[in-house]
């Protein structure tokens, strides 16, 4: 599969087959995602693979809205994407480099999430990135270290659907020259 094919055919998958995902496959996806760009190569993104059915059920039942809970209940694995706080957007003296201040860390985590999802697609897996959840509750449940912040959840598994691509905006609408 070419890079263009991977980008053009990746979809947000919300239904999965119950097949387990081999740890070596997840590790190969994280290895590829480690090549995501990051602020001054800080590589702040971390991944926690949740495959314990009781943890998945608790996250779905207690910490996510129903539309995300329905995805989590039938996904074989949920990835908690965290990032190390206070390393992006700063100079060595601790001052902010841009007016975005410490918000740059979410940019890095977002780039890592997309790279993770494209790597998963290349390996035959489907994903969907979720951003609406009880961050404090899940962080406590998973014992996320205090120096990390939970940025996103990614359901991952073998797709049980093959959705069509939604309509895309034209290049003329998206691109301008000055």
């Amino acid at each position: 599969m070419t890079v263009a094919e991977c980008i053009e055919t990746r979809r947000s998958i919300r239904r999965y087959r119950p097949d387990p995902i081999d740890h070596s496959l997840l590790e190969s996806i994280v290895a590829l995602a480690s090549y995501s760009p990051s602020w001054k190569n800080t590589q702040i993104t971390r991944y926690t693979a949740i495959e314990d059915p009781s943890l998945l059920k608790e996250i779905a039942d207690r910490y996510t809205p129903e539309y995300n809970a329905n995805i989590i209940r039938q996904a074989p694995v949920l990835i908690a994407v965290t990032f190390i706080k206070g390393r992006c957007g700063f100079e060595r003296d601790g001052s902010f480099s841009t007016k975005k201040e410490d918000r740059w860390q979410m940019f890095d985590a977002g780039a890592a999430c997309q790279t993770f999802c494209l790597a998963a697609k290349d390996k035959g897996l489907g994903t969907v990135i979720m951003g609406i959840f009880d961050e404090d509750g899940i962080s406590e449940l998973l014992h996320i270290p205090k120096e990390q912040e939970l940025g996103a959840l990614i359901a991952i598994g073998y797709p049980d659907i093959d959705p069509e691509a939604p309509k895309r905006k034209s290049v003329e609408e998206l691109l301008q020259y000055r």
Side-chain angles (χ1 to χ4, degrees):
M1 166 181 322
T2 67
V3 172
E5 290 168 335
C6 191
I7 292 169
E8 290 173 348
T9 60
R10 193 219 59 82
R11 299 284 170 271
S12 291
I13 302 298
R14 292 176 172 86
R15 286 200 332 247
Y16 302 92
R17 298 190 324 246
D19 310 7
I21 302 171
D22 189 85
H23 287 189
S24 64
L25 185 55
L26 281 175
E27 290 163 11
S28 71
I29 292 166
V30 171
L32 287 169
S34 76
Y35 285 90
S36 297
S38 63
W39 178 273
K40 299 183 180 184
N41 198 32
T42 51
Q43 301 179 51
I44 62 168
T45 307
R46 301 294 184 268
Y47 308 88
T48 300
I50 305 149
E51 54 190 0
D52 179 322
S54 64
L55 277 177
L56 291 169
K57 181 178 181 347
E58 187 169 356
I59 290 169
D61 292 350
R62 295 185 59 200
Y63 301 112
T64 58
E66 194 60 27
Y67 49 87
N68 282 343
N70 288 334
I71 297 166
I72 294 167
R73 284 187 187 105
Q74 43 82 50
V77 177
L78 183 66
I79 303 293
V81 180
T82 63
F83 55 85
I84 299 172
K85 298 185 280 188
R87 291 208 187 150
C88 291
F90 298 94
E91 294 301 317
R92 289 190 188 276
D93 66 3
S95 65
F96 293 117
S97 303
T98 73
K99 69 185 239 178
K100 286 184 177 36
E101 299 181 344
D102 68 344
R103 292 176 293 154
W104 195 268
Q105 55 202 7
M106 280 301 290
F107 184 87
D108 282 5
C113 284
Q114 178 66 356
T115 304
F116 180 97
C117 291
L118 289 171
K121 170 67 178 172
D122 186 57
K123 303 284 186 183
L125 296 170
T127 57
V128 63
I129 301 170
M130 295 174 278
I132 301 174
F133 48 81
D134 177 346
E135 182 179 334
D136 294 335
I138 294 173
S139 294
E140 185 176 321
L141 177 69
L142 298 178
H143 308 288
I144 303 293
K146 65 178 170 112
E147 66 273 2
Q148 293 182 31
E149 183 174 322
L150 181 59
L153 299 174
I154 302 176
I156 184 169
Y158 293 96
D160 199 25
I161 55 172
D162 187 18
E164 292 292 318
K167 187 174 187 247
R168 299 295 184 207
K169 295 182 187 309
S170 71
V171 171
E172 293 76 24
E173 189 176 350
L174 299 172
L175 176 64
Q176 56 183 292
Y177 293 96
R178 303 277 177 183

